[in-house]
DNA sequence: CGTGTGACCGGCG
DNA sequence: ACGCCGGCCACAC
């Protein structure tokens, strides 16, 4: 029973519990989605953006990820790659191999900075979460 | 309040 | 097949 959301953020409903302050941010939404990514799965910025309703602006998802490093609880940013399955954001990790290592721990094989079987491991929030 | 930037995506030459 | 270009949204200065 998938609800027809007017291209709005479903999870936002949870975060929107407290609209009093601007505690809720686009970043929070991104973090929530990313945190829901199952282990061993990966998704793309565009997919998250699409789920949030801003598919045309996948950039800001990446921007949000930038702050994800200091976000709490820890956000598995390593599970978010570009639509090519390439670890475009690996350079933003502490070490150039940190992202690969984390993915490897998740059981994801990374070859040449690219997720192997990315298509198979792809996890679309808009589908999995039922948009 | 205006400008710049960003871990992207899709289209076009 | 490859490279360049624009768009779009939110946040920081």
């Amino acid at each position: 029973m998938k609800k027809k959301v007017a291209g709005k953020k479903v999870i936002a409903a949870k975060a929107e519990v407290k609209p009093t302050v601007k505690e809720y941010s686009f970043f929070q939404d991104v973090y929530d989605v990313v945190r829901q990514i199952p282990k061993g799965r990966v998704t793309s910025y565009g997919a998250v953006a699409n789920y949030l309703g801003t598919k045309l602006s996948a950039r800001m998802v990446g921007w949000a990820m930038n702050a994800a490093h200091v976000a709490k609880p820890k956000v598995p940013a390593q599970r978010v790659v570009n639509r090519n399955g390439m670890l475009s954001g690996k350079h933003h990790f502490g070490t150039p191999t940190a992202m690969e290592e984390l993915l490897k721990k998740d059981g994801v094989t990374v070859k040449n900075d690219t997720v192997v079987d990315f298509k198979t491991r792809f996890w679309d929030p808009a589908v999995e979460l039922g948009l």
Side-chain angles (χ1 to χ4, degrees):
Chain A
M1 61 325 187
K2 47 200 326 197
K3 289 193 275 211
K4 190 124 171 262
V5 186
K8 255 354 197 168
K9 26 219 166 171
V10 180
I11 59 171
K14 292 192 297 188
E16 221 171 331
V17 173
K18 211 153 85 148
T20 308
V21 291
K22 53 186 294 188
E23 288 288 320
Y24 153 71
S25 290
F26 183 87
F27 288 41
Q28 284 292 343
D29 268 6
V30 176
Y31 303 153
D32 283 343
V33 176
V34 175
R35 268 178 278 176
Q36 287 171 70
I37 300 174
K39 183 181 178 185
R41 296 287 199 123
V42 291
T43 190
S44 65
Y45 303 96
V48 177
N50 183 28
Y51 177 73
L52 295 177
T54 57
K55 68 174 183 184
L56 293 180
S57 304
R59 295 166 140 204
M60 52 167 304
V61 175
W63 192 279
M65 300 311 295
N66 195 358
H69 277 279
V70 294
K72 293 168 301 242
K74 61 180 182 192
V75 179
Q78 68 277 9
R79 293 174 189 166
V80 184
V81 295
N82 64 3
R83 93 142 202 94
N84 284 320
M86 189 179 357
L87 285 66
S88 50
K90 72 159 194 176
H91 203 50
H92 279 263
F93 280 71
T95 63
T97 54
M99 195 170 183
E100 302 176 24
E101 296 274 322
L102 289 168
L103 283 171
K104 194 173 290 186
K105 278 189 227 178
D106 281 352
V108 178
T109 307
V110 178
K111 185 85 172 185
N112 211 2
D113 298 341
T114 307
V115 176
V116 179
D117 294 330
F118 170 69
K119 211 168 100 165
T120 307
R121 299 208 180 254
F122 184 71
W123 182 84
D124 190 346
V127 176
E128 303 298 332
L129 296 180
L131 179 60

